Amino acid sequence: MSWDPAVEPKLQHLPEDSWLAREAAHQQRVRTYADPYLARRSAGLKHPVEDFLFTYYTQKPGQLLRWHPGAGTVLSGPAAAERAGWKYYRAADAGERAAAGLAPGTAAVTVDVERFVTERRDAVQFAGIILAGTAARPAQFGCFGLHEWAMVYRQDKFELRHEYLTLRLGAEQTDRVVEDNRIRCSHFDAFRFYTPDAAPLNALRPSRENQRAMEQPGCLHANMDLYKWAYKLAPALPSELVMDCFELSWRIRAMDMRASPYELSEWGYPAIRIETADGKAEYVEQQRTFAAAAQELRHRLLEQLSPLLDAAGGAAHPLPVSQEGRP
């Protein structure tokens, strides 16, 4: 289905000095996180918190460094011509140059939204289903981060996920926390890492098939995944929004691991002791703050997605999904 000009956002023009400044600011923002990761990787080192967004998700630092203005923007100037060979970019046509106030023959490019929608239709629709469905559901705040504990439950029988870390309470006490609490995880991409003995203890049965019906806005992992939805829709989404999602995911990951059973104080991450009443209260307080921030980003993503969804044909039919749960 082709891109419909009737739903296309109003054309924006960015001259070279303007968009190069935004590109440089974006790249500096990315390097704040990416450079330490790349240095650790070169040295053969790991970080249990700060490597996650670059190792669990498929977006690589080099891809994240590429700045995109998003759909409906014309970039002009000699540097813009280099983007004509980038995937999902094309030279601006005569009408777009005229709308941007550019003289005929001026170097100018824009995101090829028609091609993007044609080739990424399933991804656009699936993102719309997950984002809209999650935004509409009530947030649940009773999980207390026990998904990380369930991943090492009875770890004497199974391999410890982070072999270079130690359990803060030891194996026996960690198992007892799992057994003494109600586990209610709604996110399949957390649930699928449970040990076999922990899976039956979960009150819910999230699966790849029911994922779109179960994700809810209080879930830390659903909120971290906003970054995934954003980068999978590049270059049709502006990179500033992608990085807003990345930075929220970064902060959530830190809180998620502070509430985990691992001893991370030497890494600079003091524990949220969810095995105590005070720890549970602290967890829920932060969880609510992140849920509110994530809902704001979710609505921004849906706003950017709206014309793409219209062009893609609206709601999606059931789609085959990858192991990551994404088309």
Side-chain angles (χ1 to χ4, degrees):
M1 190 166 186
S2 63
W3 178 245
D4 183 357
V7 297
E8 185 173 4
K10 184 177 179 181
L11 189 70
Q12 180 185 20
H13 168 233
L14 292 176
E16 189 171 71
D17 58 346
S18 176
W19 71 261
L20 284 177
R22 283 178 59 179
E23 180 183 59
H26 168 75
Q27 291 176 344
Q28 183 56 48
R29 191 177 178 188
V30 172
R31 288 192 178 101
T32 300
Y33 304 94
D35 285 358
Y37 163 70
L38 292 172
R40 284 192 299 271
R41 190 177 69 177
S42 295
L45 302 175
K46 296 179 180 180
H47 195 294
V49 181
E50 297 173 11
D51 289 352
F52 182 76
L53 268 63
F54 297 113
T55 56
Y56 175 75
Y57 293 115
T58 59
Q59 176 91 320
K60 304 305 179 188
Q63 295 170 308
L64 188 58
L65 275 167
R66 278 196 167 187
W67 174 81
H68 304 290
T73 300
V74 170
L75 305 179
S76 65
E82 300 174 8
R83 293 179 174 239
W86 290 17
K87 190 173 184 180
Y88 299 125
Y89 276 82
R90 60 169 173 80
D93 62 30
E96 290 163 337
R97 284 187 174 86
L102 298 172
T106 302
V109 298
T110 190
V111 173
D112 189 343
V113 181
E114 183 171 355
R115 180 186 170 197
F116 179 85
V117 169
T118 298
E119 296 184 6
R120 299 288 291 152
R121 176 177 177 270
D122 285 355
V124 169
Q125 291 183 325
F126 191 71
I129 287 172
I130 292 289
L131 292 169
T134 304
R137 294 184 190 104
Q140 305 295 321
F141 299 106
C143 69
F144 306 120
L146 285 162
H147 54 274
E148 288 287 343
W149 298 68
M151 293 176 193
V152 295
Y153 179 60
R154 295 183 178 171
Q155 59 96 17
D156 56 320
K157 294 172 58 178
F158 309 103
E159 292 184 8
L160 185 65
R161 293 185 65 235
H162 298 292
E163 69 280 358
Y164 59 102
L165 299 177
T166 58
L167 296 176
R168 179 167 55 81
L169 302 179
E172 183 177 345
Q173 289 299 318
T174 297
D175 291 349
R176 188 168 299 168
V177 171
V178 174
E179 293 161 356
D180 289 348
N181 286 273
R182 184 168 182 253
I183 308 178
R184 189 178 174 82
C185 179
S186 59
H187 192 75
F188 177 68
D189 284 313
F191 177 71
R192 68 189 175 99
F193 289 111
Y194 280 26
T195 65
D197 285 1
L201 302 178
N202 200 61
L204 303 176
R205 288 293 173 264
S207 67
R208 192 61 75 208
E209 291 69 29
N210 65 21
Q211 177 184 5
R212 65 191 66 195
M214 290 197 70
E215 299 220 348
Q216 50 88 14
C219 172
L220 293 188
H221 280 260
N223 293 334
M224 279 194 284
D225 273 355
L226 292 178
Y227 167 56
K228 179 177 281 188
W229 301 123
Y231 77 70
K232 282 188 174 289
L233 296 173
L237 268 58
S239 289
E240 289 85 354
L241 177 54
V242 176
M243 277 306 294
D244 287 346
C245 294
F246 177 97
E247 289 180 340
L248 177 65
S249 185
W250 182 277
R251 296 194 299 273
I252 292 174
R253 171 61 176 178
M255 183 261 201
D256 191 36
M257 289 301 283
R258 287 183 60 209
S260 78
Y262 303 113
E263 178 55 72
L264 297 173
S265 58
E266 64 183 279
W267 299 84
Y269 292 89
I272 298 174
R273 301 180 180 276
I274 59 92
E275 70 275 15
T276 70
D278 287 347
K280 285 182 171 67
E282 181 183 357
Y283 184 92
V284 171
E285 181 180 4
Q286 293 196 36
Q287 188 180 24
R288 288 182 180 277
T289 299
F290 284 131
Q295 281 289 67
E296 184 176 330
L297 281 177
R298 197 170 277 115
H299 286 294
R300 287 173 59 193
L301 286 167
L302 284 166
E303 183 179 12
Q304 292 285 332
L305 263 179
S306 180
L308 301 175
L309 284 166
D310 288 342
H317 52 77
L319 301 171
V321 292
S322 68
Q323 180 63 17
E324 286 188 329
R326 310 293 181 256

